[in-house]
């Protein structure tokens, strides 16, 4: 629900073994992003059972000192599989009743909702099968009926997966794309219900962003991590590195694949969350931003570029010019002036303009980046206490440490 309110999506990344789990957890911690670890019934069986998976995830979570929210979620669970995961200690389950007649899907989902909520677990349901095949789960691929989606949503599920033309695995060259008309109709029927997009691999970034705009709050990724892992491992072996020294050691042999998973997860997490600031600015009616890009704020600038037809960015020659320009814009138009800068000296260069606006009660918002949260307070490169520096010349002053806070602070 926080993701939907904040216009971002939480990524579910399916895990297949220890390396997968470790890579996803470490990346989530690095980006300070909540994450969902998905486990299919096939993967659970491969790892000797759901109890083994739950124990491994809990131990790894504690040993790595993970501080971000982590959910362990059954992906495309059968009726029997859901009960096994409830018993094993999962924190979330998905019941895929899409292959049942709608009345039977509703009846089984209703039962599982009551059980899951009694155990303090979240539950996802599905209407309209997702195309393709994943771990033996085969779907013909169809667009869900919005009225059937409402029936299932009204049962009290926490998330709803609905078929909108998405498929598992690689997308074929003749794929027609997501049906946003269907997604919008489902959103209209289900209201505040967070929607789930399965088959996140291969969907173009612009479609992902539009889906998030239309209510998608959870996006599943599996195949792309598998492809990245396979490609990196293949290159390691083809380069003959397994024949050098102890390159055959599994810890070395699997390391390139693990790093490739990290890179893929990081790319997806940034894609799913990079829109938060821009979407919030658009909601507040902002159409002009002044700034100077640099290091730690480049992800925001990447998102801003994609919305350049809606928000005009005025590039100044210096960050101080951005803050004075935002001040002048607010005085001339009566609207809120917005400026942006990177961390360290980029942020401190805004101070004179901020102070000027504050002295004359001019409405202005300054957005700055900072070093990674794990580096705060360690005299890291380009780290300054910008909230402390500007405390006396601002009306409101926030240090945002998690993506969940962004929308609330900007609003």
């Amino acid at each position: 629900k926080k993701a939907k309110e904040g216009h971002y999506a939480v990524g579910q990344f399916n895990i297949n073994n220890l390396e997968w789990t470790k890579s996803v957890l470490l990346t989530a911690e690095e980006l300070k992003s909540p994450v969902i670890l998905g486990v299919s019934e096939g993967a659970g069986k491969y790892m000797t059972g759901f109890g083994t998976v739950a124990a491994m995830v809990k131990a790894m979570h504690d040993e790595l000192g993970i501080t971000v929210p982590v959910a362990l979620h059954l992906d495309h669970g059968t009726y029997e599989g859901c009960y096994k995961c409830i018993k094993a200690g999962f924190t979330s389950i998905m019941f895929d009743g899409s292959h049942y007649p709608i009345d039977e899907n509703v009846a089984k989902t209703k039962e599982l909702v009551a059980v899951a909520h009694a155990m303090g677990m979240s539950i996802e349901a599905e209407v309209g099968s997702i195309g393709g095949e994943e771990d033996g789960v085969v779907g013909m691929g169809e667009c869900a009926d919005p009225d059937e989606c409402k029936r299932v949503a009204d049962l009290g599920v926490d998330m709803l997966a609905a078929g909108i033309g998405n498929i598992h695995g690689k997308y074929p060259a003749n794929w027609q794309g997501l049906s946003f008309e269907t997604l919008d109709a489902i959103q209209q029927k289900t209201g505040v219900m967070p929607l789930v997009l399965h088959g996140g691999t291969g969907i173009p970034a612009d479609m992902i962003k539009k889906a998030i705009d239309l209510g998608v709050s959870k996006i599943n990724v599996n195949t792309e991590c598998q492809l990245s892992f396979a490609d990196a491992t293949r290159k390691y072996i083809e380069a003959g590195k397994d024949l050098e020294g102890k390159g055959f050691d599994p810890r070395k042999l699997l390391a390139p694949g693990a790093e490739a998973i990290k890179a893929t997860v990081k790319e997806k997490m940034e894609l799913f969350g990079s829109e938060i600031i821009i979407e919030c600015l658009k909601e507040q009616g902002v159409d002009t931003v002044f700034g100077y890009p640099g290091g730690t704020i480049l992800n925001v600038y990447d998102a801003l570029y994609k919305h350049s037809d809606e928000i005009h960015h005025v590039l100044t020659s210096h960050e101080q010019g951005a803050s004075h320009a935002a001040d002048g814009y607010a005085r001339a138009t009566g609207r809120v002036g917005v400026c942006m800068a990177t961390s360290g000296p980029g942020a401190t260069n805004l101070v004179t303009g901020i102070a000027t606006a504050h002295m004359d009660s001019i409405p202005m918002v300054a957005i700055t980046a900072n070093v990674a949260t794990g580096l705060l307070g360690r005299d890291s490169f380009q780290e300054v206490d910008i909230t402390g520096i500007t405390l006396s010349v601002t009306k409101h002053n926030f240090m945002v440490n998690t993506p969940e806070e962004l929308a609330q602070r900007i609003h």
Side-chain angles (χ1 to χ4, degrees), residues 323-344:
S323 60
H324 285 304
D327 173 38
Y329 173 86
R331 293 172 190 264
T333 65
R335 304 175 66 184
V336 178
V338 180
C339 57
M340 298 196 308
T342 189
S343 61

Side-chain angles (χ1 to χ4, degrees), residues 137-170:
V137 178
V138 180
M140 296 303 294
E142 59 187 52
C143 287
D145 182 328
D147 290 322
E148 292 183 356
C149 289
K150 177 172 171 50
R151 285 187 64 186
V152 174
D154 288 346
L155 299 175
V157 298
D158 301 286
M159 302 161 279
L160 179 66
I164 56 170
N166 45 323
I167 65 174
H168 290 126
K170 290 184 177 181

Side-chain angles (χ1 to χ4, degrees), residues 80-81 97 120 139 176 212 248 297:
E80 296 78 15
Q176 298 300 306
I212 293 173
F248 54 83
I297 203 168

Side-chain angles (χ1 to χ4, degrees), residues 312-333:
H312 175 56
H313 177 261
V314 179
L315 177 66
T316 57
S317 299
H318 189 278
E319 292 89 355
Q320 188 177 82
S323 60
H324 285 304
D327 173 38
Y329 173 86
R331 293 172 190 264
T333 65

Side-chain angles (χ1 to χ4, degrees), residues 278 287 303-313:
I278 307 306
D287 60 12
L304 183 61
Y305 175 76
K306 296 166 188 171
H307 292 267
S308 56
D309 58 331
E310 300 170 278
I311 299 180
H312 175 56
H313 177 261

